[in-house]
Amino acid sequence: MSLVKFVCTGCSCLCDDTEIEVEGTQIKKINNACVRGAALLSAADNPQRRATCLVNGQETSLAEAVEEASRLLQQAPRRLIFGLDNSTLEAQAAGMELAQALGAVIDDSSSFCHGPLIESILTGALPSGSLSQIKDTADLFIYWGSNAHQSHPRHLAKFFLPFYTELEEAGWVQKAQLCCVEVRDSETSSLCEPVFKLLPGGDRDFIAQVLNISGGGEGTPEAKTFVELIKRSHFGVIFAGLGLTYSLDGDYSLFAEMVQKLSQWTRLVVIPMVGHFNMRGFNESLYKKTGYINKVSFASGISHGEEFGFLEQVRSHLADCVLVIGSDPFSSLPHHVLRELEGVPIICFDPFITPTTKAAQVVFGTAISGLEVGGRAIRMDGDEIPLPVAKSSGYPSDEEILKRLAEKVSG
């Protein structure tokens, strides 16, 4: 039995201190994993949870599944590739090459969650920074619209609690302040002081109040306290969650103006609390390739627009074959949207059996990124993290299958 380091791909923290004891191909012990990471590792060794290669519900070989998937992709004039947020950078590159070869639309889940925030960071509208640097030097942590305790269970332990590591005669010394902007009480808010509690959808008004006070005007007592908190800090970081994104309806212009205004008193950076472990990698890779982070069509050169987003493609019956990679839209999106996919062939890559694999005509059971196949990923803060293989398996990687499909459709 051997002890192996594992970069956990349970979320975009990409914790690199997780350890597993492996005997043969079985995981016997897990150290330093949160509930999300432990669930991922436990499911990896459960054959009842793992997906296999299927065509129309019948188990088949990888070669036969590739043959059927390539046939479906070739006969469809309007293809849509969706997902890749839980794939390595190498697989994402292969997926983009396949989309270009097919003249397909490609999109990921950032088009209805963190996309506008990540785009604001990549274009320079919002300042950001490395978690490694923040861990050593930031003195103000603000969780805005994010209950990290649930979404990223080790986030506080890895990036805030290290500030408690020094002892003085009085006991533990808090070297940084933790606060949050939230609409409800949560596990994270219970640790914060102060808590800026807003009405649902009230983020834009709160930001406007902060801007007014920053410019010498009047505002609410809560907004004044927030500005004073920023003024007293030397280096602050805002961990922006989905609560903020949805409240602002993806429009970060006023938020960016606030961050710029507050930066006259302190260094202030923003980091997106991304869920999928390599969503930011997809956004950065597509941005480098096309100038856009999502919603791209390769049908005639490079095009971008709302009509190329997954939701609009489905609602408007614009796609007649959908390739889903490492995503499960059938469990996360409304049924009235997914009903529009009736009659549309679906090809699905996933390590696990999901509602989406059950709806697919062709299924590829794949290796788990970071555990059974190596590569690289981009953490939520933009740092590139290597993913070494931790244990062997007989499952093919996303990259391998995508390259085989590209060879078929190009031939």
Side-chain angles (χ1 to χ4, degrees), residues 246-259:
Y246 292 144
S247 180
L248 297 179
D249 198 22
D251 180 4
Y252 272 87
S253 55
L254 194 67
F255 180 80
E257 185 182 346
M258 180 198 73
V259 171

Side-chain angles (χ1 to χ4, degrees), residues 34-251:
C34 70
V35 291
R36 290 174 64 102
L40 173 69
L41 291 166
S42 297
D45 280 351
N46 185 348
Q48 294 182 327
R49 297 287 308 278
R50 298 301 296 263
T52 57
C53 288
L54 304 173
V55 172
N56 296 319
Q58 301 299 311
E59 195 159 338
T60 187
S61 67
L62 175 61
E64 290 172 338
V66 168
E67 195 69 36
E68 178 62 12
S70 60
R71 183 187 71 80
L72 291 172
L73 289 168
Q74 285 175 311
Q75 73 179 17
R78 301 187 306 276
R79 305 89 160 186
L80 167 63
I81 297 176
F82 175 75
L84 288 162
D85 295 327
N86 288 316
S87 302
T88 64
L89 288 175
E90 292 78 7
Q92 290 173 350
M96 292 169 197
E97 290 300 320
L98 176 62
Q100 194 161 22
L102 290 168
V105 169
I106 188 167
D107 191 31
D108 79 317
S109 55
S110 72
S111 69
F112 43 84
C113 63
H114 277 296
L117 176 56
I118 295 173
E119 185 172 25
S120 296
I121 291 170
L122 294 182
T123 58
L126 280 171
S128 194
S130 165
L131 284 169
S132 303
Q133 181 185 39
I134 287 160
K135 181 177 176 180
D136 295 330
T137 56
D139 63 345
L140 176 62
F141 290 71
I142 304 170
Y143 286 90
W144 194 321
S146 170
N147 182 12
H149 181 85
Q150 291 289 342
S151 63
H152 303 76
R154 295 191 71 205
H155 199 274
L156 282 160
K158 286 185 68 67
F159 304 113
F160 177 70
L161 290 185
F163 286 95
Y164 285 90
T165 55
E166 290 188 7
L167 277 170
E168 292 185 2
E169 290 183 8
W172 294 103
V173 178
Q174 182 175 342
K175 296 168 60 181
Q177 186 161 4
L178 179 65
C179 69
C180 71
V181 184
E182 259 294 359
V183 299
R184 61 179 63 86
D185 294 331
S186 69
E187 294 90 344
T188 303
S189 71
S190 69
L191 303 172
C192 296
E193 180 60 41
V195 175
F196 300 94
K197 200 166 183 180
L198 311 180
L199 291 173
D203 298 73
R204 189 177 299 278
D205 183 60
F206 181 72
I207 292 167
Q209 293 279 335
V210 169
L211 273 169
N212 196 40
I213 293 167
S214 302
E218 295 297 318
T220 64
E222 291 79 9
K224 289 179 181 178
T225 302
F226 185 85
V227 173
E228 288 303 316
L229 193 68
I230 297 292
K231 286 182 176 180
R232 289 197 304 268
S233 71
H234 299 291
F235 180 8
V237 53
I238 298 174
F239 293 108
L242 287 176
L244 178 61
T245 292
Y246 292 144
S247 180
L248 297 179
D249 198 22
D251 180 4

Side-chain angles (χ1 to χ4, degrees), residues 340-351:
E340 305 300 329
L341 283 171
E342 289 181 7
V344 177
I346 297 171
I347 304 161
C348 185
F349 293 29
D350 207 290

Side-chain angles (χ1 to χ4, degrees), residues 8-26:
C8 180
T9 52
C11 77
S12 61
C13 284
L14 290 172
C15 298
D16 59 1
D17 58 347
T18 306
E19 296 176 335
I20 56 175
E21 285 189 2
V22 180
E23 184 176 356
T25 60
Q26 297 294 304

